[in-house]
């Protein structure tokens, strides 16, 4: 699978564009290949797996048919292994932005990062929308973004010998605070309460690092950013004892992710409560050729379960097939297919 994107390249032509590399998008890629559709996947995030990886990688899942129990991470690994024989390209950090239907009935889909797709059908498996970092509610943080205020840590080395504050109480905040103490001049973890949602083992490591004087931990809420010559110098913290100032050259706020349907909400698809209305005979939206499956689909008695998304994707792709191959009218999988699939799987191990 490829993950690189070349924004200068000409439009990528494929039968189906799958938006979302969560569990449903990954299974859809397999199903598409099984019925003879080419497809490519895009995801706004930098890694594959949707909610399974972002929200609960180590939680066991018990309701996937024929798998008594596996963690969410293992499920994503298994889904990737299942579509590996078909070498489906996956373009990460590509947020789908606009869609246009051409005179020939095909669609042009553009991502905000410059990729352009020319497709017969679009399968939206976009969950609750693209995950975006929960940002600081401080207007002065906006112009500092990327320079002194950060919502991720792309390169640890960028913080070498700096005074860094990491804000948050989840796994990311604790893991990065612990990692940064190796390179930064000083690291302070700031969290609004003494309890954490991070793994107990990370909390224990953090407390030991604080006891050893390798980093600091402060309970408080960030209420202001103080600048000198356009650069961050300190934070104002509201603590139980009142307001205090904390030196900081860089603030890394890791408050978790929020889902945002974003530009897809402007595509003119009928929706309710941020989810796209579909016809349950084929999971097609109000715009023929655009399908919604998984958590994004809205219909009576919809269950937000991975299992339901798998079923929806399977039916949606059968209708998508009729747009890719209008002359064939319906999917016709030859009896020789199983043998071909077995060969492909054997070839990729
Ligand atoms: C804590 C928790 C536990 C759960 N446990 C279970 C369980 O045990 N069993 C079960 O069946 N279900 C469980 N679920 C529900 C299950 O995770 C969801 O039903 C499932 O993840 C839906 O899959 P999806 O592929 O539709 O969407 P998601 O997993 O949400 O993936 C959608 C992907 O689309 C991407 N995306 C969105 N918008 C765009 C865009 N514009 N451009 C590009 N990419 C975009 C997102 O970045 C994301 O990666 C649980 C959910 C939670 C929160």
């Amino acid at each position: 699978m490829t993950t690189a994107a070349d924004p200068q390249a000409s439009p990528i032509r494929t039968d189906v564009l799958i938006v979302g590399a969560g569990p449903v998008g990954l299974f859809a890629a397999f199903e598409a290949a099984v019925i003879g559709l080419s497809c490519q996947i895009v995801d706004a995030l930098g890694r594959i797996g949707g909610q399974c990886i972002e929200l609960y990688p180590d939680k066991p899942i018990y309701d996937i048919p024929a798998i008594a129990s596996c963690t969410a991470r293992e499920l994503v690994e298994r889904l990737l292994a299942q579509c590996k024989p078909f070498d489906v390209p996956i373009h990460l950090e590509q947020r789908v932005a606009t869609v246009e239907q051409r005179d020939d009935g095909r669609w042009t889909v553009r991502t905000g990062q410059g990729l352009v797709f020319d497709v017969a059908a679009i399968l939206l498996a976009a969950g609750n929308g693209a995950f975006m970092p929960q940002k600081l509610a401080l207007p002065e943080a906006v112009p500092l973004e990327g320079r002194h205020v950060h919502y991720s840590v792309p390169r640890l080395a960028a913080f070498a010998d700096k005074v860094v504050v990491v804000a948050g109480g989840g796994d990311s905040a604790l893991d990065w605070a612990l990692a940064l103490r190796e390179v930064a001049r000083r690291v302070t973890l700031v969290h609004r309460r003494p309890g954490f949602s991070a793994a107990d083992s990370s909390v224990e490591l953090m407390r030991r690092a604080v006891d050893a004087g390798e980093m600091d931990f402060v309970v408080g809420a960030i209420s202001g950013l103080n600048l000198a010559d356009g650069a961050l110098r300190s934070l104002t913290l509201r603590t139980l004892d009142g307001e205090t100032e904390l030196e900081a050259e860089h603030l890394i706020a890791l408050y978790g992710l929020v889902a945002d349907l974003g530009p897809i909400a402007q595509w003119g698809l009928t929706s309710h409560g941020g989810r796209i209305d579909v016809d349950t005979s084929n999971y097609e939206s109000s715009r023929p050729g655009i399908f919604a499956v998984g958590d994004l689909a809205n219909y009576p008695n919809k269950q937000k379960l991975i299992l339901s998304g798998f079923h929806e994707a399977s039916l949606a792709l059968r209708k998508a097939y009729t747009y890719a191959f209008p002359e064939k009218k319906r999917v016709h999988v030859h009896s020789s297919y199983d043998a071909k699939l077995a060969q492909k799987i054997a070839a990729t191990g």
Side-chain angles (χ1 to χ4, degrees):
M1 297 197 184
T2 53
T3 50
D6 174 5
Q8 303 309 320
S10 52
I12 298 167
R13 192 177 160 97
T14 189
D15 293 332
V16 182
L17 179 66
I18 297 174
V19 179
V24 177
L26 294 176
F27 183 70
F30 168 76
E31 275 290 285
V34 163
I35 62 171
L37 287 168
S38 63
C39 71
Q40 305 216 359
I41 305 180
V42 287
D43 200 295
L45 289 175
R47 54 187 178 175
I48 293 166
Q51 293 174 50
C52 288
I53 294 298
E54 298 306 320
L55 302 182
Y56 59 102
D58 299 319
K59 183 187 95 68
I61 300 182
Y62 302 108
D63 53 0
I64 303 298
I67 301 178
S69 162
C70 70
T71 64
R73 192 193 310 279
E74 283 163 356
L75 178 68
V76 169
E77 284 165 5
R78 284 170 186 247
L79 288 165
L80 274 170
Q82 193 173 19
C83 51
K84 190 172 173 224
F86 305 103
D87 203 17
V88 176
I90 303 182
H91 307 276
L92 297 177
E93 295 184 336
Q94 295 287 325
R95 187 183 198 201
V96 158
T98 62
V99 70
E100 264 167 69
Q101 190 162 29
R102 301 202 314 254
D103 292 344
D104 63 0
R106 291 180 64 91
W107 301 87
T108 300
V109 186
R110 292 171 202 278
T111 68
Q113 293 67 32
L115 278 188
V116 184
F117 293 89
D118 165 357
V119 297
I122 301 158
L123 190 89
L124 296 173
N128 302 310
F131 289 111
M132 309 295 279
Q134 172 94 53
K135 297 197 172 179
L136 289 156
L138 297 171
E140 65 267 38
V142 178
L144 298 177
E145 232 176 82
R147 291 189 302 123
H148 296 276
V149 171
H150 314 266
Y151 296 103
S152 63
V153 185
R155 272 187 335 111
L156 212 52
F159 302 98
D161 208 29
K162 304 288 183 200
V163 180
V164 182
V165 171
V166 178
D171 283 313
S172 300
L174 269 81
D175 290 353
W176 280 120
L178 287 164
L180 281 157
R181 77 194 200 283
E182 307 290 341
V183 298
R185 179 142 48 97
R186 208 168 75 229
V187 180
T188 306
L189 178 70
V190 172
H191 185 39
R192 49 181 204 290
R193 51 192 176 82
F196 294 89
S197 57
D200 291 346
S201 54
S202 303
V203 177
E204 182 53 34
L205 274 177
M206 184 277 290
R207 293 203 192 282
R208 267 194 255 145
V210 171
D211 289 345
E214 295 165 4
M215 61 180 282
D216 297 309
F217 169 53
V218 178
V219 177
I222 300 168
S223 57
L225 308 182
N226 310 311
L227 317 186
D229 300 326
L232 184 65
R233 287 288 170 257
S234 67
L235 313 177
T236 304
L237 287 186
R238 244 191 343 256
T239 69
L240 281 176
D241 303 323
E243 276 204 344
T244 174
E245 210 169 303
L246 175 68
E247 188 189 350
E249 292 172 294
H250 290 273
L251 168 61
I252 305 170
L254 299 171
Y255 292 145
L257 301 164
V258 284
D260 171 16
L261 196 54
I264 294 173
Q266 315 304 319
W267 285 13
L269 307 172
T270 307
S271 64
H272 279 95
R275 292 191 293 135
I276 304 205
D277 295 353
V278 288
D279 170 349
T280 50
S281 69
N282 50 30
Y283 299 94
E284 196 161 32
S285 72
S286 56
R287 291 187 78 178
I290 302 182
F291 300 82
V293 296
D295 281 11
L296 185 62
N298 180 49
Y299 57 89
N301 296 325
K302 161 71 188 170
Q303 300 295 310
K304 284 192 177 184
L305 288 174
I306 295 164
L307 168 75
S308 320
F310 289 170
H311 158 80
E312 294 153 11
S314 172
L315 285 196
L317 287 160
R318 277 158 173 79
K319 178 74 191 284
Y321 187 91
T322 65
Y323 292 110
F325 302 105
E327 69 289 356
K328 293 195 184 164
K329 295 281 183 256
R330 68 183 182 87
V331 175
H332 182 69
V333 179
H334 290 278
S335 52
S336 62
Y337 176 74
D338 279 354
K340 281 191 193 155
L341 182 62
Q343 267 172 16
K344 260 189 180 283
I345 290 170
T348 50

